[in-house]
Amino acid sequence: MSTQSHHFSVDQMIKSIETWLITGKLNPEILAENFKFTSPFWESNDRTAFIAKFQDPTEYQKTSLSNIVKFDPIIRLKSSEGNHFALVLQYHTKNGHSVWETVLGNVQEGKLSELRSIYDLAETKKAHNLK
């Protein structure tokens, strides 16, 4: 574990989370020690469980990204204080479905403390042919 703590701007956070969402490549350095993730499909995870689940992008790529043909649009928003952001995106899958997703981030002291993904779980399962 590094003794040096790097602080990230909200713009860097947005770019990093967008990269993770569309490629599966996660930068765990952005995550605060008390990080919490909430998602209807991937469920809730603390920092350790989130890194264990997403450090290797294979499962995420296989389960989600392999079915997506494009992301359009991707809308990036940030609070004027620079401690909250939102990514609003729509992705389109091979079976002709589209799903809107909003990812909300909370930044504290240059680290991501919370990430909350909001979407219709039933529509997501339909889009990815999951039961």
Side-chain angles (χ1 to χ4, degrees), residues 31-55:
L31 306 177
E33 289 302 316
N34 64 341
F35 172 77
K36 182 180 177 190
F37 175 65
T38 306
S39 164
F41 180 78
W42 296 101
E43 301 175 350
S44 296
N45 298 144
D46 64 12
R47 184 181 195 278
T48 302
F50 184 79
I51 291 172
K53 190 176 284 182
F54 294 108
Q55 179 75 41

Side-chain angles (χ1 to χ4, degrees), residues 7-127:
H7 288 271
F8 296 88
S9 70
V10 70
D11 291 318
Q12 290 171 313
M13 295 283 183
I14 292 169
K15 184 172 174 46
S16 186
I17 294 303
E18 183 179 331
T19 297
W20 169 65
L21 287 169
I22 65 175
T23 70
K25 294 178 184 162
L26 175 67
N27 177 5
E29 291 181 25
I30 68 170
L31 306 177
E33 289 302 316
N34 64 341
F35 172 77
K36 182 180 177 190
F37 175 65
T38 306
S39 164
F41 180 78
W42 296 101
E43 301 175 350
S44 296
N45 298 144
D46 64 12
R47 184 181 195 278
T48 302
F50 184 79
I51 291 172
K53 190 176 284 182
F54 294 108
Q55 179 75 41
D56 176 356
T58 308
E59 184 63 26
Y60 177 65
Q61 290 170 343
K62 186 179 90 179
T63 303
S64 297
L65 297 180
S66 66
N67 295 314
I68 296 173
V69 293
K70 71 177 178 174
F71 290 88
D72 183 45
I74 299 175
I75 303 164
R76 299 157 196 89
L77 306 163
K78 64 181 175 179
S79 68
S80 57
E81 299 83 22
N83 58 349
H84 292 91
F85 67 87
L87 286 164
V88 181
L89 53 93
Q90 184 179 42
Y91 62 83
H92 308 271
T93 60
K94 292 176 182 175
N95 66 9
H97 283 82
S98 297
V99 175
W100 281 99
E101 180 173 354
T102 300
V103 179
L104 304 172
N106 183 358
V107 179
Q108 293 181 357
E109 299 176 8
K111 295 285 188 174
L112 187 61
S113 62
E114 181 180 12
L115 194 63
R116 185 175 298 267
S117 185
I118 303 166
Y119 49 85
D120 184 313
L121 183 57
E123 287 300 312
T124 299
K125 287 181 175 182
K126 196 182 313 178

